[in-house]
């Protein structure tokens, strides 16, 4: 049996605000520029340059791709440093978003804070109250279907 690309279900994706992604891209570019400058200024500081480049890569790879994926049977949080897959039937509520309340397989209540959508983490570039309300509605609609 051949499975075509069109047969594979696609998730509904909720991205962080564009201004946050742009800031992360600019910050990565600045970190690389500083790393090159430090390396050119003093070759003995190569560990500092390497750390700056590693940080820039981490920010680009994880930060810019931070999002929530709504699959048919699970919600996947791709945050700055971690990814979490939460089975749909274990999610209790999304009313406190950017926190998602759910229960693990033993029935123990858990909370996953989606840092990429936390307005307190970055008040200038983070999501607005309107953004958070819209995302809550989108998550609740996905849960209800």
């Amino acid at each position: 049996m051949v499975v075509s690309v069109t047969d594979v279900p696609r998730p509904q994706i909720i991205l962080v605000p564009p201004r946050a992604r742009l800031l992360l891209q600019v910050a990565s570019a600045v970190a690389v520029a500083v790393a090159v400058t430090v390396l050119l200024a003093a070759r003995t500081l190569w560990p500092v340059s390497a750390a700056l480049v590693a940080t820039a890569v981490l920010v680009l790879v994880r930060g810019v791709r931070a999002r929530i994926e709504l699959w048919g049977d699970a919600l996947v949080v791709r945050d700055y440093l971690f990814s979490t897959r939460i089975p749909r039937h274990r999610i209790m509520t999304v009313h406190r978003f950017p926190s998602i309340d759910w229960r693990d397989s033993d029935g123990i209540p858990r909370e996953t804070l989606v840092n990429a959508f936390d307005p307190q983490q970055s008040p200038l570039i983070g999501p607005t109250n309107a953004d958070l309300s819209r995302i809550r509605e989108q998550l609740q609609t996905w849960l209800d279907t």
Side-chain angles (χ1 to χ4, degrees):
M1 179 176 157
V2 177
V3 177
S4 74
V5 175
T6 57
D7 294 339
V8 178
R10 302 244 180 219
Q12 183 179 357
I13 296 176
I14 303 170
L15 296 172
V16 296
R19 59 190 177 277
R21 289 195 317 272
L22 178 63
L23 180 71
L24 292 170
Q25 291 169 337
V26 169
S28 294
V30 168
V32 169
V34 169
V36 170
T37 303
V38 166
L39 187 60
L40 291 175
R43 297 213 186 270
T44 58
L45 294 177
W46 69 265
V48 174
S49 292
L52 284 169
V53 169
T55 301
V57 168
L58 179 67
V59 167
L60 271 177
V61 171
R62 295 300 299 190
V64 174
R65 295 194 58 193
R67 64 184 174 207
I68 296 173
E69 298 174 0
L70 303 176
W71 292 86
D73 62 342
L75 176 145
V76 177
V77 174
R78 298 204 187 279
D79 215 346
Y80 296 134
L81 297 176
F82 66 91
S83 292
T84 304
R85 181 180 183 87
I86 306 170
R88 183 182 197 152
H89 68 278
R90 299 205 183 278
I91 298 172
M92 297 184 315
T93 183
V94 293
H95 294 308
R96 294 184 323 115
F97 185 80
S99 291
I100 299 171
D101 298 315
W102 57 287
R103 292 190 185 275
D104 67 11
S105 59
D106 295 328
I108 298 171
R110 302 287 183 195
E111 173 188 7
T112 296
L113 175 63
V114 188
N115 289 310
F117 291 91
D118 188 359
Q120 295 173 357
Q121 294 279 350
S122 53
L124 296 176
I125 62 165
T128 63
N129 287 337
D131 290 335
L132 293 176
S133 294
R134 180 184 48 77
I135 294 168
R136 272 187 214 103
E137 285 179 28
Q138 197 171 358
L139 291 172
Q140 192 61 52
T141 301
W142 173 78
L143 275 175
D144 293 342
T145 58

